[in-house]
Amino acid sequence: MKLVGEHKAKKGLIRMEIEEEHGIVKNIVISGDFFIYPEDIIEELEKHLVGKRLESLEATIEDFFSVRHDVEMPYLNVEDFKIALRKALEECKWEGN
């Protein structure tokens, strides 16, 4: 099943598209019109989330950013990514999964 969540942060939109099967992330794409440095950090985060259970994604995002002190994201914070994730997961609940 494909889940999509969007969150309009202070300076940009964060969109998460999650493909899951039996509660496991098979693929995830994080996109939007926000700025983050280093530029490949989103790709690293996506790779880090693949294979994880849906219910552990929020904690996984927190853990990922807690050890990455080199990340700069003006007007964004980790909570903005978690909100986009929650919105995607709400869609899953509504569909009865």
Side-chain angles (χ1 to χ4, degrees), residues 66-84:
S66 72
V67 297
R68 292 299 306 254
H69 302 289
D70 62 329
V71 176
E72 296 176 30
M73 42 187 178
Y75 303 105
L76 288 179
N77 59 47
V78 176
E79 188 64 25
D80 291 314
F81 287 92
K82 291 173 17 182
I83 291 170

Side-chain angles (χ1 to χ4, degrees), residues 11-61:
K11 281 283 189 176
L13 178 78
I14 299 172
R15 178 181 172 92
M16 287 197 184
E17 295 181 37
I18 304 167
E19 291 180 39
E20 66 86 27
E21 189 174 306
H22 306 296
I24 304 288
V25 176
K26 296 297 177 192
N27 190 40
I28 185 165
V29 175
I30 302 170
S31 60
D33 61 354
F34 56 89
F35 295 100
I36 193 165
Y37 180 83
E39 293 174 8
D40 62 348
I41 197 74
I42 293 299
E43 186 177 318
E44 286 182 44
L45 176 59
E46 291 169 345
K47 288 178 184 175
H48 199 70
L49 296 172
V50 170
K52 300 287 193 292
R53 297 204 54 78
L54 292 176
E55 60 268 13
S56 72
L57 293 181
E58 194 168 327
T60 303
I61 289 171

